[in-house]
PDB file of all heavy atoms in Angstrom:
ATOM      1  N   TYR A   1      22.116  17.978  -4.525  1.00 98.00           N
ATOM      2  CA  TYR A   1      21.793  16.489  -4.562  1.00 98.00           C
ATOM      3  C   TYR A   1      20.677  16.315  -5.511  1.00 98.00           C
ATOM      4  O   TYR A   1      19.557  17.003  -5.360  1.00 98.00           O
ATOM      5  CB  TYR A   1      21.532  15.964  -3.284  1.00 98.00           C
ATOM      6  CG  TYR A   1      21.544  14.435  -3.313  1.00 98.00           C
ATOM      7  CD1 TYR A   1      22.756  13.815  -3.284  1.00 98.00           C
ATOM      8  CD2 TYR A   1      20.327  13.655  -3.603  1.00 98.00           C
ATOM      9  CE1 TYR A   1      22.749  12.248  -3.448  1.00 98.00           C
ATOM     10  CE2 TYR A   1      20.322  12.387  -3.695  1.00 98.00           C
ATOM     11  CZ  TYR A   1      21.598  11.706  -3.630  1.00 98.00           C
ATOM     12  OH  TYR A   1      21.528  10.338  -3.817  1.00 98.00           O
ATOM     13  N   VAL A   2      20.845  15.352  -6.471  1.00 98.00           N
ATOM     14  CA  VAL A   2      19.815  15.128  -7.464  1.00 98.00           C
ATOM     15  C   VAL A   2      19.259  13.750  -7.244  1.00 98.00           C
ATOM     16  O   VAL A   2      19.844  12.756  -7.164  1.00 98.00           O
ATOM     17  CB  VAL A   2      20.377  15.136  -8.895  1.00 98.00           C
ATOM     18  CG1 VAL A   2      19.396  14.912  -9.940  1.00 98.00           C
ATOM     19  CG2 VAL A   2      21.206  16.511  -9.142  1.00 98.00           C
ATOM     20  N   ASP A   3      17.875  13.785  -6.972  1.00 98.00           N
ATOM     21  CA  ASP A   3      17.140  12.642  -6.754  1.00 98.00           C
ATOM     22  C   ASP A   3      16.400  12.100  -7.995  1.00 98.00           C
ATOM     23  O   ASP A   3      16.371  12.974  -8.991  1.00 98.00           O
ATOM     24  CB  ASP A   3      16.068  12.771  -5.632  1.00 98.00           C
ATOM     25  CG  ASP A   3      16.687  12.675  -4.224  1.00 98.00           C
ATOM     26  OD1 ASP A   3      17.228  11.621  -3.887  1.00 98.00           O
ATOM     27  OD2 ASP A   3      16.492  13.688  -3.440  1.00 98.00           O
ATOM     28  N   ARG A   4      15.845  10.941  -8.007  1.00 98.00           N
ATOM     29  CA  ARG A   4      14.995  10.528  -9.102  1.00 98.00           C
ATOM     30  C   ARG A   4      13.687  11.311  -9.019  1.00 98.00           C
ATOM     31  O   ARG A   4      13.356  11.980  -7.975  1.00 98.00           O
ATOM     32  CB  ARG A   4      14.621   9.072  -9.067  1.00 98.00           C
ATOM     33  CG  ARG A   4      14.035   8.557  -7.809  1.00 98.00           C
ATOM     34  CD  ARG A   4      14.011   7.083  -7.743  1.00 98.00           C
ATOM     35  NE  ARG A   4      13.541   6.523  -6.491  1.00 98.00           N
ATOM     36  CZ  ARG A   4      12.277   5.875  -6.356  1.00 98.00           C
ATOM     37  NH1 ARG A   4      11.486   5.775  -7.391  1.00 98.00           N
ATOM     38  NH2 ARG A   4      12.022   5.403  -5.218  1.00 98.00           N
ATOM     39  N   LYS A   5      12.980  11.292 -10.150  1.00 98.00           N
ATOM     40  CA  LYS A   5      11.837  12.275 -10.254  1.00 98.00           C
ATOM     41  C   LYS A   5      10.740  12.097  -9.155  1.00 98.00           C
ATOM     42  O   LYS A   5       9.970  12.940  -8.909  1.00 98.00           O
ATOM     43  CB  LYS A   5      11.183  12.162 -11.643  1.00 98.00           C
ATOM     44  CG  LYS A   5      12.256  12.608 -12.800  1.00 98.00           C
ATOM     45  CD  LYS A   5      11.569  12.744 -14.107  1.00 98.00           C
ATOM     46  CE  LYS A   5      12.429  13.291 -15.158  1.00 98.00           C
ATOM     47  NZ  LYS A   5      11.852  13.378 -16.430  1.00 98.00           N
ATOM     48  N   ARG A   6      10.612  10.865  -8.649  1.00 98.00           N
ATOM     49  CA  ARG A   6       9.462  10.549  -7.715  1.00 98.00           C
ATOM     50  C   ARG A   6       9.758  11.384  -6.353  1.00 98.00           C
ATOM     51  O   ARG A   6       8.845  11.529  -5.626  1.00 98.00           O
ATOM     52  CB  ARG A   6       9.405   9.103  -7.418  1.00 98.00           C
ATOM     53  CG  ARG A   6       8.155   8.834  -6.624  1.00 98.00           C
ATOM     54  CD  ARG A   6       7.724   7.341  -6.833  1.00 98.00           C
ATOM     55  NE  ARG A   6       7.216   7.117  -8.235  1.00 98.00           N
ATOM     56  CZ  ARG A   6       6.625   5.928  -8.547  1.00 98.00           C
ATOM     57  NH1 ARG A   6       6.290   4.956  -7.643  1.00 98.00           N
ATOM     58  NH2 ARG A   6       6.206   5.755  -9.807  1.00 98.00           N
ATOM     59  N   ALA A   7      10.850  11.921  -6.215  1.00 98.00           N
ATOM     60  CA  ALA A   7      11.135  12.742  -5.012  1.00 98.00           C
ATOM     61  C   ALA A   7      10.318  14.057  -5.133  1.00 98.00           C
ATOM     62  O   ALA A   7       9.848  14.639  -4.070  1.00 98.00           O
ATOM     63  CB  ALA A   7      12.605  13.168  -4.960  1.00 98.00           C
ATOM     64  N   ASN A   8      10.036  14.429  -6.375  1.00 98.00           N
ATOM     65  CA  ASN A   8       9.233  15.708  -6.668  1.00 98.00           C
ATOM     66  C   ASN A   8       7.809  15.511  -7.035  1.00 98.00           C
ATOM     67  O   ASN A   8       7.007  16.388  -6.897  1.00 98.00           O
ATOM     68  CB  ASN A   8       9.986  16.416  -7.773  1.00 98.00           C
ATOM     69  CG  ASN A   8      10.059  17.906  -7.508  1.00 98.00           C
ATOM     70  OD1 ASN A   8      10.128  18.448  -6.420  1.00 98.00           O
ATOM     71  ND2 ASN A   8       9.942  18.744  -8.625  1.00 98.00           N
ATOM     72  N   PHE A   9       7.598  14.282  -7.474  1.00 98.00           N
ATOM     73  CA  PHE A   9       6.177  13.917  -7.929  1.00 98.00           C
ATOM     74  C   PHE A   9       5.789  12.578  -7.491  1.00 98.00           C
ATOM     75  O   PHE A   9       6.268  11.636  -8.050  1.00 98.00           O
ATOM     76  CB  PHE A   9       6.009  14.088  -9.352  1.00 98.00           C
ATOM     77  CG  PHE A   9       4.660  13.718 -10.001  1.00 98.00           C
ATOM     78  CD1 PHE A   9       3.595  14.401  -9.513  1.00 98.00           C
ATOM     79  CD2 PHE A   9       4.598  12.737 -10.897  1.00 98.00           C
ATOM     80  CE1 PHE A   9       2.320  14.060 -10.020  1.00 98.00           C
ATOM     81  CE2 PHE A   9       3.367  12.364 -11.359  1.00 98.00           C
ATOM     82  CZ  PHE A   9       2.192  12.975 -10.944  1.00 98.00           C
ATOM     83  N   SER A  10       4.891  12.483  -6.488  1.00 98.00           N
ATOM     84  CA  SER A  10       4.422  11.213  -6.042  1.00 98.00           C
ATOM     85  C   SER A  10       2.979  11.373  -5.470  1.00 98.00           C
ATOM     86  O   SER A  10       2.717  12.367  -5.009  1.00 98.00           O
ATOM     87  CB  SER A  10       5.358  10.747  -4.926  1.00 98.00           C
ATOM     88  OG  SER A  10       5.484  11.531  -3.897  1.00 98.00           O
ATOM     89  N   THR A  11       2.295  10.235  -5.529  1.00 98.00           N
ATOM     90  CA  THR A  11       0.906  10.296  -5.129  1.00 98.00           C
ATOM     91  C   THR A  11       0.643   9.073  -4.275  1.00 98.00           C
ATOM     92  O   THR A  11       0.582   7.874  -4.716  1.00 98.00           O
ATOM     93  CB  THR A  11      -0.033  10.238  -6.373  1.00 98.00           C
ATOM     94  OG1 THR A  11       0.378  11.139  -7.284  1.00 98.00           O
ATOM     95  CG2 THR A  11      -1.479  10.433  -5.982  1.00 98.00           C
ATOM     96  N   TRP A  12       0.604   9.323  -2.899  1.00 98.00           N
ATOM     97  CA  TRP A  12       0.668   8.185  -1.924  1.00 98.00           C
ATOM     98  C   TRP A  12      -0.710   7.766  -1.508  1.00 98.00           C
ATOM     99  O   TRP A  12      -1.629   8.620  -1.360  1.00 98.00           O
ATOM    100  CB  TRP A  12       1.337   8.660  -0.675  1.00 98.00           C
ATOM    101  CG  TRP A  12       2.866   9.019  -0.785  1.00 98.00           C
ATOM    102  CD1 TRP A  12       3.340   9.865  -1.730  1.00 98.00           C
ATOM    103  CD2 TRP A  12       3.857   8.669   0.043  1.00 98.00           C
ATOM    104  NE1 TRP A  12       4.732   9.936  -1.554  1.00 98.00           N
ATOM    105  CE2 TRP A  12       5.060   9.182  -0.443  1.00 98.00           C
ATOM    106  CE3 TRP A  12       4.002   7.644   1.172  1.00 98.00           C
ATOM    107  CZ2 TRP A  12       6.327   8.911   0.178  1.00 98.00           C
ATOM    108  CZ3 TRP A  12       5.121   7.506   1.665  1.00 98.00           C
ATOM    109  CH2 TRP A  12       6.326   8.000   1.234  1.00 98.00           C
ATOM    110  N   TYR A  13      -0.821   6.528  -1.276  1.00 98.00           N
ATOM    111  CA  TYR A  13      -2.098   5.877  -0.666  1.00 98.00           C
ATOM    112  C   TYR A  13      -1.718   5.032   0.517  1.00 98.00           C
ATOM    113  O   TYR A  13      -0.835   4.113   0.358  1.00 98.00           O
ATOM    114  CB  TYR A  13      -2.798   5.055  -1.774  1.00 98.00           C
ATOM    115  CG  TYR A  13      -4.206   4.564  -1.237  1.00 98.00           C
ATOM    116  CD1 TYR A  13      -5.250   5.349  -1.355  1.00 98.00           C
ATOM    117  CD2 TYR A  13      -4.316   3.395  -0.587  1.00 98.00           C
ATOM    118  CE1 TYR A  13      -6.556   5.028  -0.918  1.00 98.00           C
ATOM    119  CE2 TYR A  13      -5.576   2.887  -0.130  1.00 98.00           C
ATOM    120  CZ  TYR A  13      -6.662   3.767  -0.260  1.00 98.00           C
ATOM    121  OH  TYR A  13      -7.886   3.317   0.122  1.00 98.00           O
ATOM    122  N   GLU A  14      -2.086   5.399   1.672  1.00 98.00           N
ATOM    123  CA  GLU A  14      -1.756   4.748   2.927  1.00 98.00           C
ATOM    124  C   GLU A  14      -2.998   3.950   3.384  1.00 98.00           C
ATOM    125  O   GLU A  14      -4.185   4.390   3.369  1.00 98.00           O
ATOM    126  CB  GLU A  14      -1.431   5.735   4.004  1.00 98.00           C
ATOM    127  CG  GLU A  14      -1.181   5.099   5.319  1.00 98.00           C
ATOM    128  CD  GLU A  14      -0.905   6.057   6.475  1.00 98.00           C
ATOM    129  OE1 GLU A  14      -0.984   7.309   6.261  1.00 98.00           O
ATOM    130  OE2 GLU A  14      -0.651   5.537   7.654  1.00 98.00           O
ATOM    131  N   PHE A  15      -2.797   2.567   3.728  1.00 98.00           N
ATOM    132  CA  PHE A  15      -3.752   1.845   4.432  1.00 98.00           C
ATOM    133  C   PHE A  15      -3.058   0.775   5.303  1.00 98.00           C
ATOM    134  O   PHE A  15      -1.936   0.515   5.180  1.00 98.00           O
ATOM    135  CB  PHE A  15      -4.692   1.196   3.365  1.00 98.00           C
ATOM    136  CG  PHE A  15      -4.134  -0.028   2.613  1.00 98.00           C
ATOM    137  CD1 PHE A  15      -4.350  -1.251   2.952  1.00 98.00           C
ATOM    138  CD2 PHE A  15      -3.405   0.195   1.407  1.00 98.00           C
ATOM    139  CE1 PHE A  15      -3.831  -2.376   2.295  1.00 98.00           C
ATOM    140  CE2 PHE A  15      -2.849  -0.796   0.596  1.00 98.00           C
ATOM    141  CZ  PHE A  15      -3.091  -2.204   1.147  1.00 98.00           C
ATOM    142  N   PHE A  16      -3.851   0.241   6.169  1.00 98.00           N
ATOM    143  CA  PHE A  16      -3.392  -0.649   7.183  1.00 98.00           C
ATOM    144  C   PHE A  16      -3.506  -2.118   6.642  1.00 98.00           C
ATOM    145  O   PHE A  16      -4.667  -2.573   6.308  1.00 98.00           O
ATOM    146  CB  PHE A  16      -4.192  -0.595   8.500  1.00 98.00           C
ATOM    147  CG  PHE A  16      -3.815   0.557   9.337  1.00 98.00           C
ATOM    148  CD1 PHE A  16      -4.227   1.815   8.974  1.00 98.00           C
ATOM    149  CD2 PHE A  16      -3.030   0.405  10.507  1.00 98.00           C
ATOM    150  CE1 PHE A  16      -3.820   2.967   9.826  1.00 98.00           C
ATOM    151  CE2 PHE A  16      -2.680   1.421  11.260  1.00 98.00           C
ATOM    152  CZ  PHE A  16      -3.095   2.688  10.939  1.00 98.00           C
ATOM    153  N   PRO A  17      -2.413  -2.843   6.389  1.00 98.00           N
ATOM    154  CA  PRO A  17      -2.538  -4.249   5.769  1.00 98.00           C
ATOM    155  C   PRO A  17      -3.424  -5.071   6.645  1.00 98.00           C
ATOM    156  O   PRO A  17      -4.008  -6.106   6.133  1.00 98.00           O
ATOM    157  CB  PRO A  17      -1.032  -4.737   5.847  1.00 98.00           C
ATOM    158  CG  PRO A  17      -0.252  -3.414   5.774  1.00 98.00           C
ATOM    159  CD  PRO A  17      -0.970  -2.352   6.572  1.00 98.00           C
ATOM    160  N   ARG A  18      -3.374  -4.971   7.998  1.00 98.00           N
ATOM    161  CA  ARG A  18      -4.218  -5.839   8.794  1.00 98.00           C
ATOM    162  C   ARG A  18      -5.662  -5.654   8.642  1.00 98.00           C
ATOM    163  O   ARG A  18      -6.449  -6.492   8.988  1.00 98.00           O
ATOM    164  CB  ARG A  18      -3.768  -5.656  10.258  1.00 98.00           C
ATOM    165  CG  ARG A  18      -4.164  -4.390  10.926  1.00 98.00           C
ATOM    166  CD  ARG A  18      -3.557  -4.230  12.250  1.00 98.00           C
ATOM    167  NE  ARG A  18      -4.028  -2.971  13.022  1.00 98.00           N
ATOM    168  CZ  ARG A  18      -3.599  -2.599  14.200  1.00 98.00           C
ATOM    169  NH1 ARG A  18      -2.700  -3.437  14.812  1.00 98.00           N
ATOM    170  NH2 ARG A  18      -4.065  -1.591  14.702  1.00 98.00           N
ATOM    171  N   SER A  19      -6.062  -4.571   7.972  1.00 98.00           N
ATOM    172  CA  SER A  19      -7.461  -4.354   7.608  1.00 98.00           C
ATOM    173  C   SER A  19      -7.854  -4.713   6.255  1.00 98.00           C
ATOM    174  O   SER A  19      -8.870  -4.281   5.666  1.00 98.00           O
ATOM    175  CB  SER A  19      -7.890  -2.882   7.898  1.00 98.00           C
ATOM    176  OG  SER A  19      -7.757  -2.576   9.288  1.00 98.00           O
ATOM    177  N   ALA A  20      -6.963  -5.416   5.574  1.00 98.00           N
ATOM    178  CA  ALA A  20      -7.262  -5.796   4.151  1.00 98.00           C
ATOM    179  C   ALA A  20      -8.003  -7.033   3.870  1.00 98.00           C
ATOM    180  O   ALA A  20      -8.317  -7.337   2.729  1.00 98.00           O
ATOM    181  CB  ALA A  20      -5.786  -5.839   3.477  1.00 98.00           C
ATOM    182  N   ALA A  21      -8.350  -7.698   4.893  1.00 97.00           N
ATOM    183  CA  ALA A  21      -8.972  -9.008   4.712  1.00 97.00           C
ATOM    184  C   ALA A  21     -10.346  -8.824   4.054  1.00 97.00           C
ATOM    185  O   ALA A  21     -11.145  -7.840   4.449  1.00 97.00           O
ATOM    186  CB  ALA A  21      -9.201  -9.726   6.042  1.00 97.00           C
ATOM    187  N   PRO A  22     -10.805  -9.691   3.259  1.00 96.00           N
ATOM    188  CA  PRO A  22     -12.133  -9.507   2.628  1.00 96.00           C
ATOM    189  C   PRO A  22     -13.355  -9.934   3.578  1.00 96.00           C
ATOM    190  O   PRO A  22     -14.427  -9.460   3.360  1.00 96.00           O
ATOM    191  CB  PRO A  22     -12.118 -10.439   1.384  1.00 96.00           C
ATOM    192  CG  PRO A  22     -11.182 -11.581   1.753  1.00 96.00           C
ATOM    193  CD  PRO A  22     -10.113 -10.823   2.604  1.00 96.00           C
ATOM    194  N   GLU A  23     -12.987 -10.699   4.594  1.00 95.00           N
ATOM    195  CA  GLU A  23     -14.064 -11.166   5.533  1.00 95.00           C
ATOM    196  C   GLU A  23     -13.940 -10.353   6.798  1.00 95.00           C
ATOM    197  O   GLU A  23     -12.787 -10.222   7.308  1.00 95.00           O
ATOM    198  CB  GLU A  23     -13.997 -12.579   5.829  1.00 95.00           C
ATOM    199  CG  GLU A  23     -14.068 -13.484   4.595  1.00 95.00           C
ATOM    200  CD  GLU A  23     -12.722 -13.837   4.027  1.00 95.00           C
ATOM    201  OE1 GLU A  23     -11.648 -13.369   4.518  1.00 95.00           O
ATOM    202  OE2 GLU A  23     -12.592 -14.386   2.875  1.00 95.00           O
ATOM    203  N   PRO A  24     -15.081  -9.969   7.406  1.00 94.00           N
ATOM    204  CA  PRO A  24     -14.954  -9.307   8.708  1.00 94.00           C
ATOM    205  C   PRO A  24     -14.397 -10.352   9.762  1.00 94.00           C
ATOM    206  O   PRO A  24     -14.562 -11.429   9.648  1.00 94.00           O
ATOM    207  CB  PRO A  24     -16.461  -9.025   8.973  1.00 94.00           C
ATOM    208  CG  PRO A  24     -17.188  -9.076   7.812  1.00 94.00           C
ATOM    209  CD  PRO A  24     -16.382 -10.062   6.945  1.00 94.00           C
ATOM    210  N   GLY A  25     -13.730  -9.703  10.794  1.00 92.00           N
ATOM    211  CA  GLY A  25     -13.133 -10.439  11.817  1.00 92.00           C
ATOM    212  C   GLY A  25     -11.857 -11.251  11.535  1.00 92.00           C
ATOM    213  O   GLY A  25     -11.414 -11.915  12.412  1.00 92.00           O
ATOM    214  N   LYS A  26     -11.381 -11.034  10.450  1.00 96.00           N
ATOM    215  CA  LYS A  26     -10.125 -11.665  10.104  1.00 96.00           C
ATOM    216  C   LYS A  26      -8.928 -10.572  10.023  1.00 96.00           C
ATOM    217  O   LYS A  26      -9.111  -9.504   9.608  1.00 96.00           O
ATOM    218  CB  LYS A  26     -10.209 -12.450   8.780  1.00 96.00           C
ATOM    219  CG  LYS A  26     -10.950 -13.678   8.930  1.00 96.00           C
ATOM    220  CD  LYS A  26     -10.772 -14.577   7.639  1.00 96.00           C
ATOM    221  CE  LYS A  26     -11.516 -15.956   7.820  1.00 96.00           C
ATOM    222  NZ  LYS A  26     -11.347 -16.809   6.576  1.00 96.00           N
ATOM    223  N   HIS A  27      -7.741 -11.103  10.313  1.00 98.00           N
ATOM    224  CA  HIS A  27      -6.545 -10.267  10.224  1.00 98.00           C
ATOM    225  C   HIS A  27      -6.089 -10.306   8.767  1.00 98.00           C
ATOM    226  O   HIS A  27      -5.901 -11.414   8.186  1.00 98.00           O
ATOM    227  CB  HIS A  27      -5.452 -10.838  11.147  1.00 98.00           C
ATOM    228  CG  HIS A  27      -4.240  -9.908  11.329  1.00 98.00           C
ATOM    229  ND1 HIS A  27      -3.358  -9.593  10.371  1.00 98.00           N
ATOM    230  CD2 HIS A  27      -3.925  -9.218  12.469  1.00 98.00           C
ATOM    231  CE1 HIS A  27      -2.471  -8.743  10.832  1.00 98.00           C
ATOM    232  NE2 HIS A  27      -2.748  -8.491  12.150  1.00 98.00           N
ATOM    233  N   GLY A  28      -5.818  -9.105   8.166  1.00 98.00           N
ATOM    234  CA  GLY A  28      -5.372  -9.062   6.782  1.00 98.00           C
ATOM    235  C   GLY A  28      -4.020  -9.533   6.602  1.00 98.00           C
ATOM    236  O   GLY A  28      -3.187  -9.659   7.540  1.00 98.00           O
ATOM    237  N   THR A  29      -3.647  -9.825   5.406  1.00 98.00           N
ATOM    238  CA  THR A  29      -2.359 -10.409   5.087  1.00 98.00           C
ATOM    239  C   THR A  29      -1.805  -9.689   3.851  1.00 98.00           C
ATOM    240  O   THR A  29      -2.455  -8.936   3.240  1.00 98.00           O
ATOM    241  CB  THR A  29      -2.433 -12.003   4.739  1.00 98.00           C
ATOM    242  OG1 THR A  29      -3.173 -12.071   3.489  1.00 98.00           O
ATOM    243  CG2 THR A  29      -3.142 -12.737   5.843  1.00 98.00           C
ATOM    244  N   PHE A  30      -0.523  -9.942   3.653  1.00 98.00           N
ATOM    245  CA  PHE A  30       0.155  -9.313   2.475  1.00 98.00           C
ATOM    246  C   PHE A  30      -0.521  -9.878   1.099  1.00 98.00           C
ATOM    247  O   PHE A  30      -0.585  -9.073   0.208  1.00 98.00           O
ATOM    248  CB  PHE A  30       1.638  -9.718   2.447  1.00 98.00           C
ATOM    249  CG  PHE A  30       2.481  -9.106   3.450  1.00 98.00           C
ATOM    250  CD1 PHE A  30       3.389  -9.784   4.303  1.00 98.00           C
ATOM    251  CD2 PHE A  30       2.364  -7.711   3.810  1.00 98.00           C
ATOM    252  CE1 PHE A  30       4.075  -9.200   5.278  1.00 98.00           C
ATOM    253  CE2 PHE A  30       3.141  -7.110   4.860  1.00 98.00           C
ATOM    254  CZ  PHE A  30       3.937  -7.886   5.570  1.00 98.00           C
ATOM    255  N   LYS A  31      -1.008 -11.091   1.181  1.00 98.00           N
ATOM    256  CA  LYS A  31      -1.647 -11.618   0.036  1.00 98.00           C
ATOM    257  C   LYS A  31      -3.079 -10.828  -0.192  1.00 98.00           C
ATOM    258  O   LYS A  31      -3.458 -10.584  -1.321  1.00 98.00           O
ATOM    259  CB  LYS A  31      -1.941 -13.067   0.124  1.00 98.00           C
ATOM    260  CG  LYS A  31      -0.619 -13.901   0.046  1.00 98.00           C
ATOM    261  CD  LYS A  31      -1.014 -15.373   0.116  1.00 98.00           C
ATOM    262  CE  LYS A  31       0.212 -16.186  -0.033  1.00 98.00           C
ATOM    263  NZ  LYS A  31       0.065 -17.693   0.060  1.00 98.00           N
ATOM    264  N   ASP A  32      -3.685 -10.512   0.948  1.00 98.00           N
ATOM    265  CA  ASP A  32      -4.894  -9.553   0.816  1.00 98.00           C
ATOM    266  C   ASP A  32      -4.558  -8.243   0.308  1.00 98.00           C
ATOM    267  O   ASP A  32      -5.221  -7.600  -0.541  1.00 98.00           O
ATOM    268  CB  ASP A  32      -5.531  -9.426   2.184  1.00 98.00           C
ATOM    269  CG  ASP A  32      -6.141 -10.781   2.724  1.00 98.00           C
ATOM    270  OD1 ASP A  32      -6.585 -11.608   1.873  1.00 98.00           O
ATOM    271  OD2 ASP A  32      -6.030 -10.926   3.922  1.00 98.00           O
ATOM    272  N   CYS A  33      -3.433  -7.674   0.665  1.00 98.00           N
ATOM    273  CA  CYS A  33      -2.918  -6.395   0.214  1.00 98.00           C
ATOM    274  C   CYS A  33      -2.639  -6.456  -1.314  1.00 98.00           C
ATOM    275  O   CYS A  33      -3.034  -5.466  -2.087  1.00 98.00           O
ATOM    276  CB  CYS A  33      -1.715  -5.936   0.980  1.00 98.00           C
ATOM    277  SG  CYS A  33      -1.836  -5.588   2.671  1.00 98.00           S
ATOM    278  N   GLU A  34      -2.114  -7.626  -1.766  1.00 98.00           N
ATOM    279  CA  GLU A  34      -1.816  -7.835  -3.208  1.00 98.00           C
ATOM    280  C   GLU A  34      -3.136  -7.669  -4.059  1.00 98.00           C
ATOM    281  O   GLU A  34      -3.170  -7.157  -5.081  1.00 98.00           O
ATOM    282  CB  GLU A  34      -1.074  -9.087  -3.355  1.00 98.00           C
ATOM    283  CG  GLU A  34      -0.451  -9.235  -4.750  1.00 98.00           C
ATOM    284  CD  GLU A  34       0.382 -10.466  -4.825  1.00 98.00           C
ATOM    285  OE1 GLU A  34       0.943 -10.888  -3.820  1.00 98.00           O
ATOM    286  OE2 GLU A  34       0.485 -11.115  -5.868  1.00 98.00           O
ATOM    287  N   ARG A  35      -4.189  -8.257  -3.424  1.00 98.00           N
ATOM    288  CA  ARG A  35      -5.479  -8.264  -4.010  1.00 98.00           C
ATOM    289  C   ARG A  35      -6.054  -6.797  -4.212  1.00 98.00           C
ATOM    290  O   ARG A  35      -6.809  -6.484  -5.216  1.00 98.00           O
ATOM    291  CB  ARG A  35      -6.523  -9.094  -3.315  1.00 98.00           C
ATOM    292  CG  ARG A  35      -7.900  -8.993  -3.755  1.00 98.00           C
ATOM    293  CD  ARG A  35      -8.820  -9.887  -2.910  1.00 98.00           C
ATOM    294  NE  ARG A  35      -8.657  -9.542  -1.464  1.00 98.00           N
ATOM    295  CZ  ARG A  35      -9.397  -8.575  -0.900  1.00 98.00           C
ATOM    296  NH1 ARG A  35     -10.271  -7.929  -1.634  1.00 98.00           N
ATOM    297  NH2 ARG A  35      -9.297  -8.254   0.326  1.00 98.00           N
ATOM    298  N   LEU A  36      -5.631  -5.907  -3.373  1.00 98.00           N
ATOM    299  CA  LEU A  36      -6.071  -4.476  -3.401  1.00 98.00           C
ATOM    300  C   LEU A  36      -5.288  -3.636  -4.387  1.00 98.00           C
ATOM    301  O   LEU A  36      -5.738  -2.445  -4.683  1.00 98.00           O
ATOM    302  CB  LEU A  36      -6.123  -3.857  -1.977  1.00 98.00           C
ATOM    303  CG  LEU A  36      -6.967  -4.680  -0.953  1.00 98.00           C
ATOM    304  CD1 LEU A  36      -6.822  -3.929   0.391  1.00 98.00           C
ATOM    305  CD2 LEU A  36      -8.411  -4.600  -1.368  1.00 98.00           C
ATOM    306  N   LEU A  37      -4.151  -4.040  -4.749  1.00 98.00           N
ATOM    307  CA  LEU A  37      -3.170  -3.196  -5.549  1.00 98.00           C
ATOM    308  C   LEU A  37      -3.935  -2.718  -6.847  1.00 98.00           C
ATOM    309  O   LEU A  37      -3.755  -1.439  -7.183  1.00 98.00           O
ATOM    310  CB  LEU A  37      -1.901  -3.968  -5.885  1.00 98.00           C
ATOM    311  CG  LEU A  37      -1.095  -4.250  -4.760  1.00 98.00           C
ATOM    312  CD1 LEU A  37       0.198  -5.066  -5.176  1.00 98.00           C
ATOM    313  CD2 LEU A  37      -0.673  -3.000  -3.933  1.00 98.00           C
ATOM    314  N   PRO A  38      -4.664  -3.540  -7.617  1.00 98.00           N
ATOM    315  CA  PRO A  38      -5.259  -2.969  -8.833  1.00 98.00           C
ATOM    316  C   PRO A  38      -6.270  -1.895  -8.633  1.00 98.00           C
ATOM    317  O   PRO A  38      -6.388  -0.833  -9.420  1.00 98.00           O
ATOM    318  CB  PRO A  38      -5.948  -4.185  -9.454  1.00 98.00           C
ATOM    319  CG  PRO A  38      -5.265  -5.420  -9.007  1.00 98.00           C
ATOM    320  CD  PRO A  38      -4.720  -4.962  -7.520  1.00 98.00           C
TER     321      PRO A  38
END
């Protein structure tokens, strides 16, 4: 079975979206995650 190349070469970064908020005490959002992508 032949997969695309990322099956053999990938570099993962895991984080919790709910901890992505810029301010303490707030629940992170997908929009906050988007800000962290760069």
Side-chain angles (χ1 to χ4, degrees):
Y1 189 84
V2 182
D3 280 303
R4 59 190 174 109
K5 292 186 177 181
R6 192 156 292 191
N8 218 31
F9 174 61
S10 58
T11 312
W12 295 52
Y13 187 87
E14 175 183 4
F15 74 96
F16 284 74
R18 67 187 187 185
S19 295
E23 304 90 4
K26 287 193 174 182
H27 194 290
T29 67
F30 292 133
K31 291 182 179 179
D32 292 327
C33 295
E34 195 171 328
R35 176 180 53 85
L36 299 177
L37 294 178

